[in-house]
């Protein structure tokens, strides 16, 4: 791997001009990071990144997360250097029919593991990849690799990044290497701050290996990366780059979020070693150097072999008849879900559990205990009160090889995780979110802890399947659905209340999402879900009307019932229910705290009040 | 203010037993922090906290935020010591008809400024209070006071707290004093961590005054608080407390979230100076000492006087005829909203602006520039990419005296702010959220930046009013509604697209939330909002049907139209629209990036496709 300094500079300038040209042609993109980070891409992909362009999904390849989403043109320009994209594809950057998107998008053919998320999340998803690696490498040394994240100032300001970095350092994820483009451009806020933070002191205190490169060049960056590989702590390499280097714009601050006009690129070009008239061309020296490097890497990768154990792990599909896994006779769904999860984790090495408070997992030994620097085999990730990072890290886990993560958390806190749950849905990551305390009656602490609108908010997310089982049978069905049928993220929403068992339920219909639990003669139909079925079951029988258990409400349209004579009820908001039933009972306001019986009465959702309301609706609409 | 060590100990023990008894009686609460933090409450409220129980809303009183919500019983027990609550009220702790809630609740009569939020947010709200103080104190020295926050490990793990603390330190909010109950109990996660963080090094690097107290007593804590008052940096006092001190439970880790049985309190009692049989009693020495202290404080407060300027500020109601404020003839709502906001900020000193990126405010000089340690008069809060903390800090601002904050941010990022927006709604804080780029067509970067489901998610929140104006007239009306009519938080959702002006709109009907923009003969009605009115306006005219502009969809039920012949459309999810119209057009899936024209065609929401779809619905349902 020989390369003169001259070719390094040429490659960096070439990459920069190509990417600026793509942005300029699309009239969309960010010039500042495109100028500053070109040398980082060359340092990483030419000198350090191990992968095989002939096998982009090679399990032992290095991983790269573009957390600084503004740099997507550079990333795609680099993938073209590597031979994975054509000039024509790059020229269509940010267009609807292009492979080069305005934000980098998950792609099996390009070896892009993760769709670029709103700022901060890329760092957390990178931590997720690094956890996966640490877990796998301990079992299968041949799966060892590094995880690189490119981030900006703005990424590091986000709380989700701070949560994830704290976890990464606590658990000594030493093969995580963060490349921090410290050009100070990405957020004007920071520039204004009078009292700058001593980053080295801060991240050293957090147990990071923190390195700063001033007057960065591709060579110095590459050297720092090579050092970082030997660190026994995770590394942050702060790369001080010149903001808008060689740019003569008056308002240089406006470079972020802006493209350069052709004439401006021309001006910039004159100050670089790139001298071609066609901004999209690649110098043959550069092309040859990259080809050679890709060939070397391919040959290296071809000599790699996987153990049978690793192959088994990678092919191990969790297709499960949940009856076999057993479920104990606890008297509530919460306890039973924990038993199920523990049993599943016991059986499948690719299930990793994530929780803010591990006391929920009462048998964590089955998952080999808590994941830690001295227990890489542990599959219980104990995140602390860092819900957002937990969900975002989980997206990283789910994007690595064959890992199936399960998140366990109170429904109220889905608000904290929402931006990451959204990314699960966008990427169709197979993540299971088990969300508990799913009722306004679950806590006595008042509105700040009440679940009211959260389930509706989740139901509004495309690609996200939500199941709210009403008893153990449906709970089993929900888990089977996730493991055997789901092709993206799934939420199982459960109650911690004591829940009845119904003879009429079975685990099977829940996969269809909605079915008649009771069929009675009346033209009226009650529709409910989860813990709230219990109350309506008795009412339906008493009033001799039918009851649909609609664990997945999206599937209600598969059933035949009279919309104008349908009454829905959940001990949650009615928001979104009008689509399925003309009459909607629920809770559309915040209430004061108190024990659940008092609160139910106050809200008019105790069984007596509900029966009265339902009778009245039927009476008034005969 | 003399008090023997003996009385200190008695007061602490008395407070602890009272609070444990309240928890025990309610069978709900957290014993661990109740045991550890009693001495912190005594140190703060007896020795340092300046307030006046006869005037709980005194503007210059100190502020206290209970971020560690688990300690609410202690807080209420302390307010009883101070004479603000009766024994009977404390005995009904956590009951539905009690003033002493399971989580502390905002109360004018008790001087509780903020309802306790899910963990982490209390710290950020405290930062908001401290910003308010710094701003006010600079204008009106007599309004000077301290802001105290009690937090736990779990609070500090949350990203929102990390974001807010970074901002507080960057801006040297030196009158912010964080009391950190470091008993290690609140989250088992941290205890498991092998590589503990050097907190002093970390927070010192962030520019905090960080103090650790080992073997904490009420005296040593009080002394540390007194020192902190003179710091020119914000302070964190880490108070190392013994976890479950004097408790003999086997599983001491389970103390969090648990109450003690009466016998257990009895056992604990024996190891304290509290020897009464009645757990709810107060020793007369303690009562007397507190009475004396409250009297002293009352006398001190009685000598306080406000300048006319401060009184004017406190009474200055922003009641505005927005026509007077003027609005320039920019060709899009985004620019016009900025002009409006800047003009309003120019006129009213109690408007504070918060944004992640101040480049949006093109005339920030009107708000006296960016708030900073050397510009306390600045009313533009430049948060950096810390959306969640921004919204949470804003709740603190809105809870202080007469400050009216405006948050400016892209709608997509409402996901990041959602837990704090929810708290605005719970507390009915008068906060204005101006959310931009409110359409799937707003960004070309693909799904991770697309607004699709976010507005529906906001609409599901109780107490939150959402206005999506379609042109400048409606924009003016939306601002007037917020300033003149709203009694809680308001979202104004706007487009950055070029938006037509309609002769038929006026600023007035928007306050009602929905009105006929076009009335035509057909029995069919189109319903739309915001930027999407523009397309439907032409279609409605061409098809000769009526068009309702439903800026606030909640108010659609005030209008008379045929549900079965109503068609709704937004370039957002249809989720939630079934309540108002039988036919719902919109976007219920994530799409690839690209320029907005291409994306609109792909989604079938370009004007031609929309017209075809609407015609077809009418055709098929004659």
């Amino acid at each position: 791997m020989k390369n003169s300094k001259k070719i390094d500079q040429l490659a960096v300038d070439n990459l920069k001009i190509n990417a600026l040209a793509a942005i300029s042609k699309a009239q969309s993109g960010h010039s500042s990071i495109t100028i500053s980070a070109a040398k980082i891409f060359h340092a990483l992909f030419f000198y350090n990144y191990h992968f095989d362009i002939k096998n982009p999904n090679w399990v032992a390849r290095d991983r790269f997360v573009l957390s600084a989403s503004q740099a997507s043109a550079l990333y795609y320009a680099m993938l073209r250097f590597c031979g994975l994209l054509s000039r024509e594809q790059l020229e269509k950057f940010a267009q609807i029919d292009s492979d080069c998107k305005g934000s980098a998008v998950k792609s099996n053919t390009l070896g892009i593991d993760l769709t670029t998320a709103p700022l901060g999340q890329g760092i957390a998803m990178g931590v997720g990849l690094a956890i996966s690696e640490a877990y796998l490498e301990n079992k299968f040394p041949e799966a060892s690799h590094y995880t690189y994240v490119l981030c900006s100032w703005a990424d590091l300001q986000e709380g989700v990044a701070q949560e994830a970095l704290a976890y990464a350092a606590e658990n000594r994820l030493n093969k995580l290497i963060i490349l921090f483009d410290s050009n100070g451009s990405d957020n004007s806020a920071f520039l204004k701050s009078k009292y700058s933070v001593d980053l080295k002191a801060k991240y050293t205190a957090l147990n990071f290996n923190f390195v700063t490169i001033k007057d960065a060049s591709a060579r110095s960056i590459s050297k720092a990366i090579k050092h970082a590989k030997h660190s026994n702590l995770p590394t942050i390499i702060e790369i001080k780059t010149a903001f808008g280097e060689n740019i003569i714009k008056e308002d240089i601050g406006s470079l972020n979020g802006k493209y350069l006009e052709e004439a401006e690129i021309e001006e910039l070009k004159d100050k670089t070693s790139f001298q071609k008239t066609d901004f999209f061309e690649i110098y043959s020296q550069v092309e040859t150097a990259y080809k050679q490097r890709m060939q070397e890497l391919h040959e290296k990768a071809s000599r790699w072999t996987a153990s049978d154990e690793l192959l088994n792990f990678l092919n191990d599909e969790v297709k499960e008849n949940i009856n076999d896994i057993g479920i104990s006779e606890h008297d509530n769904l919460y306890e039973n879900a924990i038993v199920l999860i523990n049993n599943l984790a016991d059986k499948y090495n690719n299930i990793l559990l994530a929780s803010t408070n591990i006391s929920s997992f009462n048998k964590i030994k089955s998952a080999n205990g808590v994941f830690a620097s001295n227990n890489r085999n542990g599959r219980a990730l104990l995140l602390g009160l860092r819900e957002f990072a937990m969900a975002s890290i989980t997206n990283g886990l789910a994007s690595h090889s064959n890992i199936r993560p399960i998140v366990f958390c109170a429904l109220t806190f889905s608000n904290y995780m929402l931006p990451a749950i959204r990314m699960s849905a966008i990427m169709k990551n197979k993540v299971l979110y088990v969300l508990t305390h799913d009722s306004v009656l679950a806590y006595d602490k008042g509105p700040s802890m009440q679940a009211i609108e959260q389930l509706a908010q989740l139901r509004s997310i495309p690609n996200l399947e939500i199941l709210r089982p009403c008893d153990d049978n449906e709970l089993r069905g929900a888990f089977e659905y996730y493991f055997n049928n789901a092709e993206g993220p799934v939420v199982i929403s459960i109650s911690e209340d004591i829940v009845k068992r119904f003879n009429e339920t079975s685990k099977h219909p829940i996969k269809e999402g909605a079915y008649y639990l009771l069929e009675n003669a009346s033209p009226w139909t009650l529709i409910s879900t989860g813990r709230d079925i219990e109350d309506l079951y008795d009412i339906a029988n008493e009033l001799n009307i039918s009851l649909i258990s609609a664990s997945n409400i999206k599937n209600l349209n598969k059933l035949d019932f009279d919309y104008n004579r349908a009454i829905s009820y959940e001990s949650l908001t009615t928001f979104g229910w009008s689509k399925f039933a003309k009459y909607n009972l629920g809770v559309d306001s915040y209430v004061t705290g108190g024990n659940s019986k008092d609160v139910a009465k106050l809200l008019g959702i105790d069984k007596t009040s509900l029966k009265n309301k339902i009778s009245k609706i039927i009476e008034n609409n005969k």
Side-chain angles (χ1 to χ4, degrees), chain A:
Chain A
M1 203 207 317
K2 285 175 209 157
N3 206 39
S4 75
K5 258 193 184 174
K6 217 171 146 188
I7 284 213
D8 277 336
Q9 193 54 52
L10 189 61
V12 170
D13 289 338
N14 201 145
L15 186 71
K16 191 186 297 183
I17 300 293
N18 289 173
L20 286 171
I23 291 172
S24 177
K25 194 164 183 201
Q27 304 200 347
S28 172
H30 300 263
S31 299
S32 56
I33 196 166
T34 307
I35 294 167
S36 61
K39 55 172 83 76
I40 304 176
F41 272 91
H42 179 64
L44 176 62
F45 281 88
F46 190 78
Y47 285 111
N48 288 284
Y49 198 70
H50 279 235
F51 67 140
D52 180 6
I53 59 168
K54 306 231 165 91
N55 180 14
N57 293 316
W58 178 32
V59 67
R61 80 185 186 287
D62 287 339
R63 302 299 197 277
F64 173 70
V65 186
L66 184 68
S67 190
S69 59
Q70 315 95 301
S72 66
L74 264 182
Y75 188 14
Y76 284 118
M78 174 48 75
L79 293 181
R80 178 189 166 214
F81 270 27
C82 297
L84 283 163
L85 283 167
S86 70
R87 174 191 170 127
E88 290 65 38
Q89 287 171 304
L90 185 64
E91 281 194 67
K92 283 165 81 179
F93 174 72
Q95 297 311 305
I96 201 163
D97 53 351
S98 171
D99 293 307
C100 303
K101 295 299 182 188
S103 287
V105 169
K106 186 171 183 163
S107 159
N108 284 335
T109 55
L110 298 177
I112 302 179
D113 295 285
L114 292 155
T115 294
T116 293
L119 290 167
Q121 290 189 63
I123 291 176
M125 295 195 293
V127 171
L129 290 174
I131 293 167
S132 304
E133 192 277 338
Y135 170 66
L136 250 72
E137 190 262 349
N138 176 63
K139 281 185 138 40
F140 321 108
E142 70 273 28
S144 160
H145 66 77
Y146 290 91
T147 301
Y148 300 96
V149 178
L150 178 69
C151 79
S152 67
W153 267 115
D155 279 299
L156 289 173
Q157 289 180 321
E158 294 283 3
V160 62
Q162 290 301 318
E163 291 176 355
L165 289 174
Y167 182 82
E170 282 168 17
N171 292 284
R172 293 212 168 191
L173 296 172
N174 61 309
K175 285 156 96 180
L176 173 69
I177 299 173
I178 313 255
L179 305 166
F180 164 30
D181 178 33
S182 173
N183 74 12
S185 74
D186 292 295
N187 197 278
S188 47
F190 197 84
L191 293 175
K192 298 274 164 65
S193 159
K194 285 278 174 296
Y195 303 95
S196 70
V197 169
D198 182 345
L199 287 181
K200 190 178 173 66
K202 174 186 168 181
Y203 286 104
T204 305
L206 284 172
N207 284 312
F208 271 93
N209 169 37
F210 190 93
V211 184
T212 302
I213 309 179
K214 287 173 187 172
D215 306 316
S217 67
R219 284 284 164 110
S220 59
I221 298 165
S222 170
K223 211 172 132 190
I225 294 173
K226 282 183 206 310
H227 271 126
K229 288 181 178 177
H230 300 296
S231 169
N232 59 355
L233 298 173
T235 295
I236 298 177
I237 304 176
E238 182 191 19
I239 300 153
K240 296 253 189 200
T241 54
F243 178 50
E245 195 179 16
N246 293 326
I247 284 286
I248 323 141
K249 275 217 158 185
E250 241 178 66
D251 179 12
I252 204 167
S254 72
L255 270 179
N256 192 33
K258 290 281 156 36
Y259 60 90
L260 297 180
E261 302 289 348
E262 214 164 302
E264 291 173 307
I265 301 179
E266 198 70 53
E267 256 181 275
L268 172 68
K269 196 189 83 175
D270 289 348
K271 292 183 189 126
T272 71
S273 56
F274 185 92
Q275 292 303 323
K276 291 182 182 285
T277 31
D278 179 349
F279 297 159
F280 281 101
E281 261 191 63
I282 303 181
Y283 277 88
S284 60
Q285 308 93 295
V286 174
E287 202 168 6
T288 309
Y290 266 84
K291 252 194 192 141
Q292 225 170 341
R293 173 68 175 157
M294 292 306 120
Q295 185 57 29
E296 269 172 45
L297 288 173
H298 171 63
E299 282 163 19
K300 209 168 167 184
S302 306
R303 290 190 296 273
W304 179 85
T305 49
S307 61
D308 288 348
E309 289 75 18
L310 175 56
L311 292 176
N312 286 341
F313 178 89
L314 296 176
N315 295 322
D316 193 12
E317 276 195 83
V318 189
K319 291 275 183 191
E320 192 52 67
N321 181 328
I322 304 289
N323 278 344
D324 299 345
I325 287 294
I327 187 162
S328 73
E329 292 295 312
H330 283 284
D331 55 5
N332 69 57
L333 281 182
Y334 183 95
E335 293 293 339
N336 282 333
I338 289 174
V339 173
L340 252 183
I341 291 170
N342 280 312
N343 289 350
L344 284 162
D346 208 15
K347 194 165 166 187
Y348 294 100
N349 275 328
N350 46 2
I351 292 179
L352 267 70
L353 314 176
S355 173
T356 50
N357 190 329
I358 216 64
S359 68
S360 15
F361 295 110
N362 50 14
K363 289 179 185 171
I364 49 166
K365 279 169 198 159
S366 70
N368 302 325
V370 174
F371 176 83
S373 61
N374 57 0
N375 183 24
R376 289 301 192 219
N377 207 28
R379 282 182 285 125
L381 306 184
L382 194 42
L383 267 298
L385 268 285
R386 297 168 179 139
E387 297 86 357
F388 187 3
M390 171 167 67
S392 199
I393 283 172
T394 303
N395 278 324
L397 298 175
S399 301
H400 196 289
S401 57
N402 193 27
I403 287 174
R404 293 271 165 273
I406 301 178
V407 173
F408 197 83
C409 189
L411 175 59
T412 306
F413 291 99
S414 65
N415 266 197
Y416 279 61
M417 303 192 288
L418 207 63
I421 296 177
R422 184 173 206 257
M423 287 306 299
S424 304
I426 287 172
M427 293 188 278
K428 295 193 179 170
N429 272 347
K430 201 161 169 175
V431 177
L432 177 60
Y433 295 94
V434 179
L435 303 179
T436 67
H437 299 75
D438 66 342
S439 162
V440 70
L441 304 173
Y443 287 107
D444 61 358
K445 296 208 194 303
S448 60
M449 289 299 280
Q450 279 169 355
I452 289 187
E453 71 274 31
Q454 292 85 345
L455 206 63
Q457 290 167 340
L458 293 170
R459 283 173 177 154
S460 73
I461 298 179
N463 300 347
L464 183 64
E465 296 298 322
I466 296 163
L467 302 170
R468 191 169 185 243
C470 75
D471 71 355
D472 291 348
N473 285 328
E474 288 199 359
L475 182 69
R476 280 198 195 91
F479 274 87
E480 273 196 25
Y481 173 81
Y482 168 68
F483 285 114
N484 300 1
N485 306 88
E487 286 173 356
V490 171
V491 167
I492 298 180
S493 166
I494 56 170
S495 164
E496 81 307 339
D497 295 322
I498 291 168
V499 170
K500 198 171 166 169
R501 277 180 193 81
F502 302 95
N503 293 327
E504 297 87 343
T505 55
S506 104
K507 66 176 178 151
H508 296 298
I510 201 173
K511 291 180 206 163
E512 316 306 320
Y515 65 101
Y516 278 96
L517 192 58
L518 290 174
E519 290 202 78
N520 281 312
S522 158
W524 285 84
T525 310
L526 296 179
I527 308 174
S528 191
T529 73
R531 73 175 293 292
D532 301 312
I533 288 283
E534 185 167 347
D535 283 342
L536 289 212
Y537 186 87
D538 293 342
I539 296 172
N541 271 331
E542 288 164 31
L543 299 178
N544 200 29
I545 49 185
S546 298
L547 173 62
I548 293 173
S549 172
S551 166
N552 185 347
I553 62 167
K554 278 189 196 169
N555 294 312
L556 270 166
N557 55 11
K558 293 183 190 166
L559 290 184
D560 199 28
F561 59 89
D562 181 357
Y563 174 91
N564 292 311
R565 283 174 167 173
I567 304 168
S568 72
Y569 167 65
E570 283 181 326
S571 55
L572 295 166
T573 184
T574 62
F575 193 85
W577 269 103
S578 312
K579 189 170 178 184
F580 307 109
K582 184 165 183 182
Y583 304 97
N584 310 123
L585 301 175
V587 182
D588 293 319
S589 59
Y590 296 122
V591 283
T592 183
N595 78 55
S596 62
K597 276 186 188 171
D598 292 341
V599 172
K601 265 191 196 146
L602 185 75
L603 292 169
I605 54 169
D606 59 300
K607 210 198 276 187
T608 314
S609 305
L610 280 174
K611 190 179 167 186
N612 287 341
K613 285 179 184 174
I614 291 166
S615 303
K616 207 166 275 175
I617 292 170
I618 296 175
E619 195 63 35
N620 293 342
N621 296 282
K622 269 193 174 161

